[in-house]
Tab-separated table of all heavy atoms in Angstrom:
chain	number	residue	atom	x	y	z
A	6	MET	N	191.553	106.279	92.996
A	6	MET	CA	192.252	107.545	92.847
A	6	MET	C	192.002	108.402	94.080
A	6	MET	O	190.900	108.441	94.605
A	6	MET	CB	191.739	108.320	91.616
A	6	MET	CG	191.688	107.539	90.321
A	6	MET	SD	193.284	107.103	89.665
A	6	MET	CE	193.995	108.692	89.295
A	7	LYS	N	193.068	109.098	94.507
A	7	LYS	CA	192.934	110.025	95.622
A	7	LYS	C	192.984	111.453	95.084
A	7	LYS	O	193.943	111.826	94.416
A	7	LYS	CB	194.053	109.791	96.640
A	7	LYS	CG	193.903	108.473	97.366
A	7	LYS	CD	194.982	108.288	98.402
A	7	LYS	CE	194.750	106.980	99.134
A	7	LYS	NZ	195.830	106.642	100.049
A	8	ILE	N	191.948	112.200	95.402
A	8	ILE	CA	191.862	113.578	94.935
A	8	ILE	C	192.062	114.509	96.126
A	8	ILE	O	191.494	114.289	97.198
A	8	ILE	CB	190.468	113.877	94.319
A	8	ILE	CG1	190.040	112.774	93.350
A	8	ILE	CG2	190.459	115.245	93.666
A	8	ILE	CD1	190.963	112.531	92.198
A	9	ILE	N	192.869	115.524	95.927
A	9	ILE	CA	193.102	116.516	96.971
A	9	ILE	C	192.821	117.908	96.406
A	9	ILE	O	193.271	118.235	95.307
A	9	ILE	CB	194.559	116.455	97.488
A	9	ILE	CG1	194.801	115.142	98.233
A	9	ILE	CG2	194.869	117.646	98.392
A	9	ILE	CD1	196.246	114.932	98.647
A	10	LEU	N	192.077	118.689	97.168
A	10	LEU	CA	191.872	120.102	96.839
A	10	LEU	C	192.448	120.929	97.982
A	10	LEU	O	191.955	120.865	99.110
A	10	LEU	CB	190.375	120.411	96.660
A	10	LEU	CG	190.014	121.888	96.543
A	10	LEU	CD1	190.627	122.511	95.288
A	10	LEU	CD2	188.504	122.080	96.541
A	11	GLU	N	193.495	121.671	97.677
A	11	GLU	CA	194.106	122.551	98.690
A	11	GLU	C	193.297	123.845	98.739
A	11	GLU	O	193.714	124.891	98.244
A	11	GLU	CB	195.568	122.818	98.343
A	11	GLU	CG	196.449	121.586	98.440
A	11	GLU	CD	197.886	121.898	98.094
A	11	GLU	OE1	198.426	122.903	98.587
A	11	GLU	OE2	198.476	121.152	97.297
A	12	ARG	N	192.152	123.711	99.370
A	12	ARG	CA	191.155	124.781	99.347
A	12	ARG	C	191.658	126.131	99.862
A	12	ARG	O	191.285	127.182	99.311
A	12	ARG	CB	189.938	124.322	100.140
A	12	ARG	CG	188.724	125.166	99.936
A	12	ARG	CD	187.482	124.476	100.470
A	12	ARG	NE	186.308	125.147	99.992
A	12	ARG	CZ	185.741	126.169	100.653
A	12	ARG	NH1	186.227	126.584	101.781
A	12	ARG	NH2	184.673	126.762	100.141
A	13	PRO	N	192.472	126.181	100.904
A	13	PRO	CA	192.933	127.491	101.395
A	13	PRO	C	193.715	128.295	100.351
A	13	PRO	O	193.813	129.516	100.467
A	13	PRO	CB	193.832	127.118	102.584
A	13	PRO	CG	193.295	125.808	103.055
A	13	PRO	CD	192.894	125.086	101.789
A	14	LYS	N	194.239	127.636	99.336
A	14	LYS	CA	195.009	128.338	98.303
A	14	LYS	C	194.164	128.710	97.096
A	14	LYS	O	194.664	129.286	96.119
A	14	LYS	CB	196.179	127.461	97.839
A	14	LYS	CG	197.199	127.176	98.916
A	14	LYS	CD	198.326	126.325	98.343
A	14	LYS	CE	199.338	125.922	99.411
A	14	LYS	NZ	200.338	124.976	98.872
A	15	CYS	N	192.876	128.356	97.113
A	15	CYS	CA	191.994	128.646	95.982
A	15	CYS	C	191.837	130.150	95.806
A	15	CYS	O	191.671	130.884	96.781
A	15	CYS	CB	190.633	127.994	96.234
A	15	CYS	SG	189.408	128.332	94.955
A	16	ILE	N	191.881	130.607	94.533
A	16	ILE	CA	191.701	132.035	94.245
A	16	ILE	C	190.308	132.324	93.694
A	16	ILE	O	190.015	133.439	93.276
A	16	ILE	CB	192.784	132.561	93.271
A	16	ILE	CG1	192.743	131.794	91.940
A	16	ILE	CG2	194.174	132.468	93.922
A	16	ILE	CD1	193.646	132.405	90.853
A	17	GLY	N	189.468	131.289	93.675
A	17	GLY	CA	188.064	131.491	93.329
A	17	GLY	C	187.782	131.829	91.884
A	17	GLY	O	186.796	132.505	91.579
A	18	CYS	N	188.600	131.331	90.974
A	18	CYS	CA	188.408	131.665	89.557
A	18	CYS	C	187.199	130.971	88.943
A	18	CYS	O	186.671	131.406	87.928
A	18	CYS	CB	189.663	131.338	88.764
A	18	CYS	SG	189.933	129.556	88.520
A	19	GLY	N	186.794	129.850	89.523
A	19	GLY	CA	185.609	129.140	89.030
A	19	GLY	C	185.856	128.161	87.894
A	19	GLY	O	184.922	127.509	87.424
A	20	SER	N	187.086	128.032	87.446
A	20	SER	CA	187.377	127.173	86.291
A	20	SER	C	187.058	125.706	86.556
A	20	SER	O	186.517	125.020	85.680
A	20	SER	CB	188.847	127.303	85.890
A	20	SER	OG	189.115	128.611	85.470
A	21	CYS	N	187.379	125.221	87.741
A	21	CYS	CA	187.140	123.801	88.025
A	21	CYS	C	185.656	123.478	87.965
A	21	CYS	O	185.257	122.463	87.384
A	21	CYS	CB	187.725	123.420	89.380
A	21	CYS	SG	187.150	124.446	90.748
A	22	ALA	N	184.840	124.345	88.545
A	22	ALA	CA	183.395	124.118	88.517
A	22	ALA	C	182.846	124.253	87.102
A	22	ALA	O	181.873	123.586	86.735
A	22	ALA	CB	182.698	125.100	89.458
A	23	ALA	N	183.472	125.096	86.290
A	23	ALA	CA	183.022	125.285	84.912
A	23	ALA	C	183.261	124.039	84.066
A	23	ALA	O	182.414	123.664	83.246
A	23	ALA	CB	183.721	126.490	84.281
A	24	VAL	N	184.389	123.380	84.260
A	24	VAL	CA	184.698	122.204	83.437
A	24	VAL	C	184.278	120.891	84.100
A	24	VAL	O	184.237	119.858	83.444
A	24	VAL	CB	186.205	122.118	83.074
A	24	VAL	CG1	186.630	123.338	82.274
A	24	VAL	CG2	187.072	121.915	84.297
A	25	CYS	N	183.963	120.916	85.397
A	25	CYS	CA	183.676	119.675	86.116
A	25	CYS	C	182.683	119.920	87.250
A	25	CYS	O	183.020	119.751	88.427
A	25	CYS	CB	184.992	119.106	86.643
A	25	CYS	SG	184.854	117.450	87.316
A	26	ASP	N	181.460	120.295	86.887
A	26	ASP	CA	180.483	120.608	87.939
A	26	ASP	C	179.956	119.369	88.646
A	26	ASP	O	179.266	119.460	89.650
A	26	ASP	CB	179.346	121.487	87.415
A	26	ASP	CG	178.487	120.798	86.373
A	26	ASP	OD1	178.806	119.654	85.971
A	26	ASP	OD2	177.491	121.409	85.944
A	27	LYS	N	180.307	118.200	88.113
A	27	LYS	CA	179.938	116.962	88.806
A	27	LYS	C	180.673	116.866	90.148
A	27	LYS	O	180.145	116.331	91.122
A	27	LYS	CB	180.283	115.759	87.931
A	27	LYS	CG	179.908	114.411	88.551
A	27	LYS	CD	180.258	113.269	87.609
A	27	LYS	CE	179.980	111.919	88.263
A	27	LYS	NZ	180.409	110.796	87.400
A	28	PHE	N	181.886	117.394	90.190
A	28	PHE	CA	182.709	117.245	91.390
A	28	PHE	C	183.058	118.550	92.104
A	28	PHE	O	183.468	118.522	93.257
A	28	PHE	CB	184.019	116.519	91.045
A	28	PHE	CG	183.839	115.058	90.772
A	28	PHE	CD1	183.824	114.575	89.475
A	28	PHE	CD2	183.663	114.155	91.806
A	28	PHE	CE1	183.644	113.223	89.201
A	28	PHE	CE2	183.481	112.801	91.557
A	28	PHE	CZ	183.475	112.330	90.256
A	29	PHE	N	182.916	119.674	91.412
A	29	PHE	CA	183.297	120.948	92.033
A	29	PHE	C	182.142	121.937	92.009
A	29	PHE	O	181.391	122.003	91.050
A	29	PHE	CB	184.493	121.578	91.298
A	29	PHE	CG	185.747	120.764	91.390
A	29	PHE	CD1	186.070	119.858	90.393
A	29	PHE	CD2	186.603	120.898	92.478
A	29	PHE	CE1	187.225	119.089	90.477
A	29	PHE	CE2	187.761	120.132	92.561
A	29	PHE	CZ	188.073	119.234	91.565
A	30	GLU	N	182.057	122.702	93.106
A	30	GLU	CA	181.086	123.790	93.148
A	30	GLU	C	181.712	124.963	93.883
A	30	GLU	O	182.566	124.789	94.752
A	30	GLU	CB	179.796	123.349	93.846
A	30	GLU	CG	179.983	122.967	95.309
A	30	GLU	CD	178.710	122.429	95.935
A	30	GLU	OE1	177.677	122.404	95.256
A	30	GLU	OE2	178.774	122.013	97.107
A	31	MET	N	181.259	126.174	93.503
A	31	MET	CA	181.732	127.372	94.188
A	31	MET	C	180.806	127.627	95.367
A	31	MET	O	179.579	127.514	95.242
A	31	MET	CB	181.742	128.572	93.232
A	31	MET	CG	182.564	128.351	91.952
A	31	MET	SD	184.247	127.753	92.250
A	31	MET	CE	184.976	129.201	93.050
A	32	THR	N	181.367	127.965	96.511
A	32	THR	CA	180.556	128.142	97.707
A	32	THR	C	180.450	129.618	98.090
A	32	THR	O	181.060	130.479	97.447
A	32	THR	CB	181.137	127.330	98.880
A	32	THR	OG1	182.486	127.708	99.075
A	32	THR	CG2	181.079	125.835	98.577
A	33	GLU	N	179.697	129.901	99.146
A	33	GLU	CA	179.398	131.285	99.532
A	33	GLU	C	180.642	132.101	99.850
A	33	GLU	O	180.640	133.318	99.682
A	33	GLU	CB	178.470	131.293	100.753
A	33	GLU	CG	177.030	130.968	100.394
A	33	GLU	CD	176.111	131.035	101.612
A	33	GLU	OE1	176.610	131.394	102.694
A	33	GLU	OE2	174.931	130.701	101.460
A	34	ASP	N	181.696	131.428	100.295
A	34	ASP	CA	182.924	132.169	100.601
A	34	ASP	C	183.775	132.429	99.359
A	34	ASP	O	184.869	132.974	99.441
A	34	ASP	CB	183.752	131.437	101.676
A	34	ASP	CG	184.172	130.026	101.246
A	34	ASP	OD1	183.935	129.652	100.081
A	34	ASP	OD2	184.748	129.316	102.087
A	35	GLY	N	183.254	132.026	98.191
A	35	GLY	CA	183.932	132.331	96.938
A	35	GLY	C	184.980	131.318	96.533
A	35	GLY	O	185.664	131.503	95.524
A	36	LEU	N	185.100	130.245	97.302
A	36	LEU	CA	186.112	129.233	97.010
A	36	LEU	C	185.466	127.958	96.485
A	36	LEU	O	184.277	127.708	96.683
A	36	LEU	CB	186.924	128.911	98.275
A	36	LEU	CG	187.581	130.095	98.975
A	36	LEU	CD1	188.368	129.619	100.184
A	36	LEU	CD2	188.472	130.873	98.025
A	37	SER	N	186.287	127.148	95.847
A	37	SER	CA	185.809	125.879	95.311
A	37	SER	C	185.632	124.840	96.420
A	37	SER	O	186.371	124.831	97.406
A	37	SER	CB	186.826	125.367	94.290
A	37	SER	OG	186.469	124.078	93.862
A	38	HIS	N	184.666	123.971	96.214
A	38	HIS	CA	184.434	122.852	97.133
A	38	HIS	C	184.397	121.567	96.309
A	38	HIS	O	183.736	121.497	95.266
A	38	HIS	CB	183.116	123.048	97.869
A	38	HIS	CG	182.620	121.823	98.570
A	38	HIS	ND1	183.351	121.166	99.550
A	38	HIS	CD2	181.472	121.112	98.417
A	38	HIS	CE1	182.658	120.118	99.974
A	38	HIS	NE2	181.515	120.059	99.298
A	39	LEU	N	185.139	120.566	96.782
A	39	LEU	CA	185.133	119.239	96.166
A	39	LEU	C	183.971	118.449	96.777
A	39	LEU	O	183.988	118.131	97.971
A	39	LEU	CB	186.484	118.563	96.444
A	39	LEU	CG	186.719	117.155	95.908
A	39	LEU	CD1	186.568	117.082	94.400
A	39	LEU	CD2	188.110	116.678	96.327
A	40	LYS	N	182.992	118.182	95.975
A	40	LYS	CA	181.765	117.563	96.475
A	40	LYS	C	182.020	116.191	97.103
A	40	LYS	O	182.826	115.408	96.600
A	40	LYS	CB	180.751	117.401	95.328
A	40	LYS	CG	180.276	118.719	94.735
A	40	LYS	CD	179.306	118.479	93.587
A	40	LYS	CE	178.877	119.780	92.937
A	40	LYS	NZ	177.947	119.566	91.785
A	41	ASN	N	181.322	115.935	98.204
A	41	ASN	CA	181.386	114.661	98.937
A	41	ASN	C	182.755	114.367	99.546
A	41	ASN	O	183.051	113.227	99.901
A	41	ASN	CB	180.981	113.487	98.034
A	41	ASN	CG	179.569	113.633	97.523
A	41	ASN	OD1	178.660	113.945	98.285
A	41	ASN	ND2	179.384	113.439	96.227
A	42	SER	N	183.590	115.390	99.641
A	42	SER	CA	184.926	115.182	100.198
A	42	SER	C	184.910	115.317	101.719
A	42	SER	O	183.942	115.793	102.309
A	42	SER	CB	185.903	116.211	99.620
A	42	SER	OG	185.524	117.522	100.014
A	43	ILE	N	186.022	114.904	102.313
A	43	ILE	CA	186.234	115.080	103.748
A	43	ILE	C	187.267	116.184	103.920
A	43	ILE	O	188.312	116.176	103.256
A	43	ILE	CB	186.741	113.768	104.377
A	43	ILE	CG1	185.634	112.715	104.284
A	43	ILE	CG2	187.175	113.986	105.826
A	43	ILE	CD1	186.062	111.329	104.689
A	44	LYS	N	186.950	117.136	104.798
A	44	LYS	CA	187.848	118.285	104.996
A	44	LYS	C	188.695	118.116	106.246
A	44	LYS	O	188.185	117.838	107.325
A	44	LYS	CB	187.039	119.585	105.078
A	44	LYS	CG	187.909	120.808	105.209
A	44	LYS	CD	187.319	122.061	104.626
A	44	LYS	CE	186.096	122.611	105.274
A	44	LYS	NZ	185.707	123.910	104.737
A	45	ASP	N	190.010	118.310	106.083
A	45	ASP	CA	190.928	118.279	107.218
A	45	ASP	C	190.797	119.564	108.038
A	45	ASP	O	190.212	120.541	107.590
A	45	ASP	CB	192.385	118.218	106.720
A	45	ASP	CG	192.710	116.894	106.073
A	45	ASP	OD1	191.873	115.982	106.157
A	45	ASP	OD2	193.798	116.797	105.491
A	46	ASP	N	191.405	119.558	109.211
A	46	ASP	CA	191.432	120.761	110.041
A	46	ASP	C	192.136	121.920	109.332
A	46	ASP	O	191.841	123.084	109.582
A	46	ASP	CB	192.162	120.484	111.367
A	46	ASP	CG	191.338	119.571	112.268
A	46	ASP	OD1	190.122	119.430	112.017
A	46	ASP	OD2	191.910	118.997	113.208
A	47	ASP	N	193.064	121.573	108.445
A	47	ASP	CA	193.792	122.614	107.724
A	47	ASP	C	193.064	123.085	106.459
A	47	ASP	O	193.612	123.858	105.674
A	47	ASP	CB	195.200	122.134	107.366
A	47	ASP	CG	195.189	120.822	106.611
A	47	ASP	OD1	194.083	120.365	106.236
A	47	ASP	OD2	196.262	120.242	106.391
A	48	GLY	N	191.845	122.603	106.250
A	48	GLY	CA	191.034	123.076	105.131
A	48	GLY	C	191.241	122.323	103.839
A	48	GLY	O	190.596	122.627	102.833
A	49	ILE	N	192.121	121.353	103.832
A	49	ILE	CA	192.353	120.555	102.626
A	49	ILE	C	191.261	119.502	102.485
A	49	ILE	O	190.923	118.814	103.448
A	49	ILE	CB	193.746	119.899	102.679
A	49	ILE	CG1	194.813	120.989	102.589
A	49	ILE	CG2	193.915	118.890	101.541
A	49	ILE	CD1	196.231	120.491	102.732
A	50	GLU	N	190.700	119.408	101.294
A	50	GLU	CA	189.601	118.472	101.052
A	50	GLU	C	190.126	117.248	100.308
A	50	GLU	O	190.893	117.372	99.347
A	50	GLU	CB	188.490	119.159	100.245
A	50	GLU	CG	187.857	120.299	101.010
A	50	GLU	CD	186.658	120.900	100.315
A	50	GLU	OE1	186.449	120.667	99.110
A	50	GLU	OE2	185.911	121.630	100.991
A	51	ARG	N	189.647	116.069	100.737
A	51	ARG	CA	190.115	114.819	100.157
A	51	ARG	C	188.940	113.945	99.748
A	51	ARG	O	187.937	113.880	100.457
A	51	ARG	CB	190.971	114.043	101.169
A	51	ARG	CG	192.197	114.805	101.611
A	51	ARG	CD	192.909	114.086	102.744
A	51	ARG	NE	193.882	114.960	103.378
A	51	ARG	CZ	195.129	115.114	102.956
A	51	ARG	NH1	195.566	114.421	101.933
A	51	ARG	NH2	195.945	115.935	103.558
A	52	LEU	N	189.121	113.239	98.635
A	52	LEU	CA	188.072	112.362	98.132
A	52	LEU	C	188.730	111.166	97.448
A	52	LEU	O	189.726	111.321	96.737
A	52	LEU	CB	187.210	113.132	97.108
A	52	LEU	CG	186.110	112.364	96.392
A	52	LEU	CD1	184.988	111.985	97.363
A	52	LEU	CD2	185.545	113.181	95.239
A	53	GLU	N	188.169	109.984	97.687
A	53	GLU	CA	188.633	108.788	96.971
A	53	GLU	C	187.555	108.365	95.990
A	53	GLU	O	186.392	108.209	96.384
A	53	GLU	CB	188.913	107.652	97.951
A	53	GLU	CG	190.229	107.843	98.664
A	53	GLU	CD	190.924	106.513	98.984
A	53	GLU	OE1	190.870	105.593	98.143
A	53	GLU	OE2	191.509	106.425	100.057
A	54	ILE	N	187.932	108.188	94.736
A	54	ILE	CA	186.971	107.777	93.718
A	54	ILE	C	187.623	106.744	92.799
A	54	ILE	O	188.853	106.676	92.689
A	54	ILE	CB	186.477	108.966	92.861
A	54	ILE	CG1	187.652	109.778	92.314
A	54	ILE	CG2	185.535	109.845	93.643
A	54	ILE	CD1	187.260	110.738	91.238
A	55	ALA	N	186.776	105.991	92.114
A	55	ALA	CA	187.288	104.966	91.201
A	55	ALA	C	187.737	105.571	89.878
A	55	ALA	O	188.789	105.213	89.343
A	55	ALA	CB	186.213	103.918	90.965
A	56	GLU	N	186.921	106.479	89.360
A	56	GLU	CA	187.211	107.071	88.053
A	56	GLU	C	187.453	108.568	88.205
A	56	GLU	O	186.598	109.279	88.736
A	56	GLU	CB	186.015	106.856	87.107
A	56	GLU	CG	185.778	105.403	86.737
A	56	GLU	CD	186.782	104.906	85.701
A	56	GLU	OE1	187.260	105.747	84.912
A	56	GLU	OE2	187.080	103.710	85.707
A	57	VAL	N	188.573	109.036	87.701
A	57	VAL	CA	188.924	110.447	87.872
A	57	VAL	C	188.033	111.366	87.039
A	57	VAL	O	187.729	112.493	87.442
A	57	VAL	CB	190.414	110.687	87.557
A	57	VAL	CG1	190.700	110.451	86.085
A	57	VAL	CG2	190.856	112.064	87.983
A	58	GLY	N	187.589	110.882	85.881
A	58	GLY	CA	186.661	111.644	85.041
A	58	GLY	C	187.137	113.068	84.783
A	58	GLY	O	188.317	113.306	84.515
A	59	CYS	N	186.209	114.008	84.900
A	59	CYS	CA	186.523	115.402	84.563
A	59	CYS	C	187.424	116.080	85.593
A	59	CYS	O	187.875	117.213	85.364
A	59	CYS	CB	185.244	116.195	84.356
A	59	CYS	SG	184.166	116.271	85.803
A	60	ILE	N	187.705	115.419	86.701
A	60	ILE	CA	188.628	116.018	87.678
A	60	ILE	C	190.004	116.227	87.049
A	60	ILE	O	190.727	117.160	87.380
A	60	ILE	CB	188.735	115.152	88.951
A	60	ILE	CG1	187.372	115.093	89.643
A	60	ILE	CG2	189.785	115.716	89.904
A	60	ILE	CD1	187.337	114.193	90.865
A	61	LYS	N	190.357	115.369	86.105
A	61	LYS	CA	191.633	115.527	85.404
A	61	LYS	C	191.686	116.871	84.678
A	61	LYS	O	192.671	117.597	84.753
A	61	LYS	CB	191.827	114.380	84.414
A	61	LYS	CG	193.178	114.366	83.735
A	61	LYS	CD	193.363	113.082	82.961
A	61	LYS	CE	194.796	112.945	82.440
A	61	LYS	NZ	195.176	114.001	81.518
A	62	GLU	N	190.610	117.208	83.994
A	62	GLU	CA	190.553	118.495	83.296
A	62	GLU	C	190.607	119.648	84.290
A	62	GLU	O	191.273	120.657	84.050
A	62	GLU	CB	189.259	118.600	82.482
A	62	GLU	CG	189.182	117.638	81.322
A	62	GLU	CD	187.766	117.534	80.794
A	62	GLU	OE1	187.225	118.575	80.364
A	62	GLU	OE2	187.200	116.426	80.833
A	63	ALA	N	189.886	119.501	85.391
A	63	ALA	CA	189.883	120.557	86.410
A	63	ALA	C	191.290	120.761	86.965
A	63	ALA	O	191.738	121.896	87.153
A	63	ALA	CB	188.907	120.196	87.526
A	64	SER	N	191.973	119.653	87.191
A	64	SER	CA	193.335	119.718	87.711
A	64	SER	C	194.258	120.453	86.743
A	64	SER	O	195.097	121.263	87.146
A	64	SER	CB	193.842	118.295	87.948
A	64	SER	OG	195.192	118.305	88.323
A	65	GLU	N	194.066	120.184	85.457
A	65	GLU	CA	194.922	120.802	84.444
A	65	GLU	C	194.624	122.286	84.265
A	65	GLU	O	195.517	123.076	83.970
A	65	GLU	CB	194.755	120.065	83.115
A	65	GLU	CG	195.368	118.672	83.142
A	65	GLU	CD	195.007	117.816	81.942
A	65	GLU	OE1	194.194	118.253	81.100
A	65	GLU	OE2	195.527	116.686	81.860
A	66	ILE	N	193.356	122.656	84.450
A	66	ILE	CA	192.963	124.044	84.169
A	66	ILE	C	193.172	124.967	85.371
A	66	ILE	O	193.257	126.191	85.208
A	66	ILE	CB	191.489	124.096	83.690
A	66	ILE	CG1	191.238	125.323	82.827
A	66	ILE	CG2	190.521	124.036	84.853
A	66	ILE	CD1	189.893	125.332	82.144
A	67	CYS	N	193.275	124.408	86.559
A	67	CYS	CA	193.402	125.248	87.766
A	67	CYS	C	194.669	126.111	87.683
A	67	CYS	O	195.778	125.578	87.605
A	67	CYS	CB	193.448	124.368	89.015
A	67	CYS	SG	193.719	125.320	90.527
A	68	PRO	N	194.533	127.429	87.722
A	68	PRO	CA	195.688	128.311	87.526
A	68	PRO	C	196.711	128.259	88.658
A	68	PRO	O	197.863	128.637	88.454
A	68	PRO	CB	195.056	129.708	87.412
A	68	PRO	CG	193.746	129.595	88.107
A	68	PRO	CD	193.278	128.198	87.876
A	69	VAL	N	196.287	127.824	89.836
A	69	VAL	CA	197.235	127.744	90.951
A	69	VAL	C	197.592	126.292	91.306
A	69	VAL	O	198.272	126.026	92.312
A	69	VAL	CB	196.707	128.505	92.201
A	69	VAL	CG1	196.792	129.998	91.963
A	69	VAL	CG2	195.276	128.112	92.541
A	70	GLN	N	197.126	125.377	90.484
A	70	GLN	CA	197.500	123.952	90.577
A	70	GLN	C	197.330	123.363	91.974
A	70	GLN	O	198.255	122.772	92.537
A	70	GLN	CB	198.925	123.764	90.072
A	70	GLN	CG	199.064	124.222	88.633
A	70	GLN	CD	200.366	123.820	87.991
A	70	GLN	OE1	201.386	123.685	88.663
A	70	GLN	NE2	200.346	123.587	86.700
A	71	ILE	N	196.128	123.511	92.496
A	71	ILE	CA	195.864	122.989	93.847
A	71	ILE	C	194.930	121.795	93.840
A	71	ILE	O	194.497	121.346	94.894
A	71	ILE	CB	195.274	124.103	94.748
A	71	ILE	CG1	194.007	124.708	94.131
A	71	ILE	CG2	196.332	125.162	95.020
A	71	ILE	CD1	193.265	125.608	95.086
A	72	ILE	N	194.618	121.264	92.647
A	72	ILE	CA	193.815	120.046	92.543
A	72	ILE	C	194.773	118.925	92.160
A	72	ILE	O	195.322	118.906	91.056
A	72	ILE	CB	192.705	120.187	91.488
A	72	ILE	CG1	191.790	121.360	91.839
A	72	ILE	CG2	191.891	118.879	91.388
A	72	ILE	CD1	190.853	121.778	90.703
A	73	LYS	N	195.004	118.020	93.102
A	73	LYS	CA	195.985	116.957	92.896
A	73	LYS	C	195.278	115.620	92.690
A	73	LYS	O	194.350	115.280	93.406
A	73	LYS	CB	196.911	116.848	94.107
A	73	LYS	CG	197.554	118.186	94.511
A	73	LYS	CD	198.703	118.538	93.601
A	73	LYS	CE	199.212	119.955	93.821
A	73	LYS	NZ	199.678	120.234	95.154
A	74	VAL	N	195.755	114.856	91.711
A	74	VAL	CA	195.219	113.528	91.424
A	74	VAL	C	196.346	112.519	91.595
A	74	VAL	O	197.387	112.614	90.937
A	74	VAL	CB	194.669	113.440	89.986
A	74	VAL	CG1	194.121	112.048	89.701
A	74	VAL	CG2	193.568	114.491	89.765
A	75	ASN	N	196.146	111.550	92.494
A	75	ASN	CA	197.170	110.534	92.713
A	75	ASN	C	196.590	109.144	92.576
A	75	ASN	O	195.527	108.863	93.057
A	75	ASN	CB	197.771	110.669	94.114
A	75	ASN	CG	198.547	111.965	94.235
A	75	ASN	OD1	199.487	112.199	93.504
A	75	ASN	ND2	198.124	112.813	95.155
B	114	SF4	S1	190.297	126.205	89.307
B	114	SF4	FE1	191.640	126.221	91.143
B	114	SF4	S2	191.742	128.382	91.775
B	114	SF4	FE2	190.031	128.177	90.351
B	114	SF4	S3	188.222	127.883	91.674
B	114	SF4	FE3	188.988	125.856	91.103
B	114	SF4	S4	190.402	125.254	92.757
B	114	SF4	FE4	190.060	127.464	92.915
């Protein structure tokens, strides 16, 4: 599975970290970070994992829909 977090669009609500702290954490700048991901120059974070797990819930709960699962 390919996970994408469009971090520049994050509004810092904290919902993803609340439902899926295994993969998401809030950082000092108030935005979400996808743990162990690789960040592009444009600030988008990407991660490849075998099992989507709670990221699915995080994707569904994100109010601005910037957590993509493919
Ligand atoms: S749920 Fe979405 S908007 Fe809220 S902190 Fe996570 S990525 Fe940002």
Side-chain angles (χ1 to χ4, degrees):
M6 309 292 296
K7 291 182 178 173
I8 313 301
I9 292 174
L10 170 64
E11 293 180 46
R12 194 166 193 271
K14 296 181 184 174
C15 177
I16 59 171
C18 73
S20 296
C21 55
V24 299
C25 189
D26 65 355
K27 181 179 176 184
F28 287 102
F29 296 94
E30 63 185 357
M31 304 309 292
T32 56
E33 283 182 3
D34 60 6
L36 305 181
S37 174
H38 166 59
L39 180 58
K40 296 179 183 179
N41 299 314
S42 64
I43 294 172
K44 183 151 66 173
D45 291 351
D46 290 343
D47 54 8
I49 293 176
E50 296 186 344
R51 300 172 194 274
L52 176 69
E53 282 213 39
I54 51 167
E56 293 284 332
V57 67
C59 61
I60 297 176
K61 186 171 189 298
E62 293 165 60
S64 174
E65 289 169 355
I66 205 171
C67 176
V69 287
Q70 301 191 330
I71 56 169
I72 301 167
K73 308 282 170 59
V74 180
N75 293 301

